[in-house]
Amino acid sequence: MARVAARLSANGEQSTHPVDEVLPLPKLALYGFQHVLAFYAGAVIVPIIVGSALKLSPEQLVYLINADLFTCGIASIIQAFGIGRIGARLPLIQGVTFTAVSPMIAIGLGAGGGTAALLVIYGAVITAGIATFAFAWLPAKAFKAVMRLFPPVVTGTVITVLGIVLIPVGLNDAAGGLGSPDFGDPKNFAYAGGTMLFILILMKLGKPFVSSIAILLGLVVGTGVAFALGDAKFGDVGNADWIGVTTPFHFGVPKFEWFPIVLMLIVMLITMVETTGDTYAVGDIVGKEVDSETVARALRADGAATALGGVLNSFPYVAFAENVGLVRMTKVKSRFVVVAAGVFMIVLGLLPKAAAIVAGVPHGVLGGAATVMFAMVALAGIQTLAKVDLKEEKNALVVGVSLAFALLPATVPVLFSKYMDPDLSSLLNSGVTLGATAAIVLNLIFNGLAKDDAQTAAQAPAEAPRAGLPAQPAAAPAGAEKAAEKADDAGAPAS
């Protein structure tokens, strides 16, 4: 069992932070599987979109999905469990970033499509992953200087943008899945609305344990109703193989070309902002202090997972905002739940039949649950912004204008498809990219660099109890908790 950080409670006795608590095995399995179901659609949508755009065969597409799930599991375990100074040791699920979809399609189509295109993409992904990993090992002073680009007004805006951009993804699923023959059919919205209503009732009336698995129960009950009415199809389960092992460089040796590499490096800059925001958000939700070293460990996990993704036939990885929303809803704070979810994902990546069962969840049902979670992501961003003085006009402009930029690709898509160079469009045609970039640039223009951790801590007012969380116990004797956290940060070996 991993060594967990100790702290002193109000009565002076040693206790374990909820993040480091190892729950009983049945709860670990149940909560972990809930994370997998909540995450599954987002996990598989990227390989499906990219593979379809590159005209891959159905067999190749299935392989991409299994490779993605397998690597997601490994990446999530690295992030949540931690290996030395790699991994934030927070309940953060790792998934393929949506930010990379358009650039990867552009790279792939430029390379002629098919598996030859995948080799160029993987060369760029591996390089960008190694660069991200190296960046996160910068000397402490240099890394802290970079992190001053991301004060709460920036991270809060980015998290809010993530939620706002993700909500239409959930609504598209609620409508039946973009591109499906029955897209927009009221029946799909009935499933979505029924699932959402069931989840909200459980959250309102259920006991704490029932509330904590409301998403899982909503997905199971919604799928059961759809199956009874003939709208949940599991025919692909019979056609799927029992075992599907992901092997390194399955499609061939990666190719390293300069423009795809530059494009993917820019993508990873954006994902670093996403992961930074998600790390602060989940730290706030679970009541765990997040400093620059925690963020550095999270980014090292991103870089390692991305490089590993390129080797194992997958794509760039980021801390998944969807599951940050789930942590907030369920209030289950243990990072070992994410470790359990990682084990489930590895199993699904090795068992195509099991993955096919999970894939049988109807889009409408999934959309109802996803929309609730994505809305909670936006709320986590708003809570971060609540710590910012928005009466100050400069901060208000940073937030407001960044949100406007984030909505541009969805509101005026013709600007990117018709009037912009394809290479530039592949980079900018993303609400997250534009919103995050605008937040960083505008904050620099209006506010300059943020104060470092020490200055911020010295000037910050006493923090009120977090919404949805119990008041923190009385402070431990000076240095006790910090000593435990520093030992954990230093990557103390498992015991």
Side-chain angles (χ1 to χ4, degrees):
M1 183 183 300
R3 185 190 63 80
V4 295
R7 65 176 184 176
L8 295 180
S9 61
N11 61 9
E13 294 179 354
Q14 199 173 58
S15 64
T16 299
H17 195 288
V19 168
D20 299 310
E21 182 183 1
V22 182
L23 302 177
L25 188 58
K27 286 189 175 182
L28 278 180
L30 194 60
Y31 292 145
F33 191 60
Q34 178 173 240
H35 267 289
V36 173
L37 286 179
F39 153 93
Y40 188 85
V44 302
I45 193 65
V46 173
I48 288 174
I49 293 173
V50 174
S52 299
L54 299 183
K55 310 297 182 187
L56 298 183
S57 69
E59 292 77 13
Q60 291 169 335
L61 195 56
V62 168
Y63 193 93
L64 278 188
I65 293 171
N66 283 331
D68 178 29
L69 288 170
F70 183 79
T71 314
C72 281
I74 297 174
S76 297
I77 292 172
I78 292 172
Q79 184 70 275
F81 187 83
I83 300 175
R85 296 177 65 190
I86 303 171
R89 294 180 174 85
L90 289 170
L92 286 167
I93 289 277
Q94 295 292 102
V96 176
T97 175
F98 288 89
T99 306
V101 171
S102 294
M104 288 193 298
I105 291 175
I107 292 170
L109 294 179
T115 55
L118 286 177
L119 300 182
V120 178
I121 291 172
Y122 291 147
V125 168
I126 291 170
T127 306
I130 293 172
T132 303
F133 186 77
F135 167 79
W137 285 98
L138 283 174
K141 287 186 178 180
F143 189 80
K144 284 185 178 181
V146 174
M147 294 313 300
R148 291 170 65 192
L149 292 170
F150 310 121
V153 69
V154 172
T155 56
T157 301
V158 172
I159 299 165
T160 305
V161 164
L162 278 168
I164 291 173
V165 169
L166 286 170
I167 286 172
V169 176
L171 293 175
N172 279 329
D173 266 329
L178 196 62
S180 64
D182 63 345
F183 184 74
D185 190 323
K187 176 178 63 177
N188 295 321
F189 286 109
Y191 284 127
T195 302
M196 185 182 297
L197 180 61
F198 183 75
I199 290 170
L200 294 177
I201 290 173
L202 291 180
M203 295 292 295
K204 174 67 177 177
L205 303 178
K207 294 181 179 180
F209 175 72
V210 174
S211 297
S212 69
I213 58 170
I215 296 290
L216 175 60
L217 293 176
L219 290 169
V220 171
V221 171
T223 302
V225 172
F227 182 76
L229 297 176
D231 292 318
K233 311 295 183 184
F234 294 97
D236 290 339
V237 177
N239 299 326
D241 293 332
W242 281 104
I243 302 293
V245 179
T246 297
T247 55
F249 307 122
H250 173 78
F251 296 102
V253 179
K255 295 181 179 179
F256 300 88
E257 299 182 4
W258 73 269
F259 179 75
I261 289 174
V262 170
L263 201 55
M264 203 56 60
L265 286 172
I266 296 173
V267 167
M268 290 306 294
L269 285 174
I270 302 301
T271 63
M272 283 193 282
V273 180
E274 289 184 48
T275 290
T276 300
D278 289 339
T279 303
Y280 278 110
V282 81
D284 189 52
I285 290 167
V286 302
K288 182 87 169 178
E289 181 184 353
V290 171
D291 57 15
S292 57
E293 172 60 17
T294 308
V295 174
R297 294 202 312 256
L299 295 178
R300 290 168 200 152
D302 270 8
T306 297
L308 182 65
V311 173
L312 294 180
N313 321 290
S314 191
F315 304 113
Y317 283 86
V318 68
F320 239 40
E322 291 91 325
N323 293 76
V324 173
L326 182 60
V327 172
R328 189 186 187 284
M329 286 184 65
T330 63
K331 299 181 176 65
V332 177
K333 305 172 187 178
S334 172
R335 60 191 172 100
F336 293 99
V337 168
V338 171
V339 174
V343 173
F344 276 121
M345 284 186 276
I346 290 173
V347 171
L348 287 174
L350 294 173
L351 301 175
K353 279 190 182 295
I357 293 173
V358 180
V361 176
H363 280 286
V365 173
L366 195 58
T371 302
V372 175
M373 289 189 303
F374 297 163
M376 299 305 287
V377 173
L379 178 61
I382 293 170
Q383 285 185 310
T384 301
L385 290 174
K387 301 176 182 178
V388 178
D389 182 10
L390 293 179
K391 292 180 181 179
E392 172 61 53
E393 188 177 73
K394 294 183 292 186
N395 290 331
L397 284 171
V398 171
V399 178
V401 175
S402 299
L403 290 174
F405 269 94
L407 294 173
L408 185 60
T411 308
V412 193
V414 68
L415 171 66
F416 302 89
S417 62
K418 185 176 180 181
Y419 296 105
M420 192 174 289
D421 177 79
D423 291 336
L424 187 61
S425 175
S426 68
L427 174 63
L428 297 181
N429 191 11
S430 163
V432 175
T433 300
L434 289 181
T437 304
I440 294 171
V441 173
L442 289 171
N443 183 66
L444 282 175
I445 292 172
F446 287 114
N447 295 320
L449 288 172
K451 299 178 177 65
D452 62 25
D453 289 346
Q455 290 173 305
T456 302
Q459 296 180 13
E463 187 177 0
R466 296 171 175 84
L469 293 174
Q472 297 300 310
E481 184 170 347
K482 287 292 184 183
E485 287 183 4
K486 286 180 179 178
D488 194 45
D489 285 353
S495 60

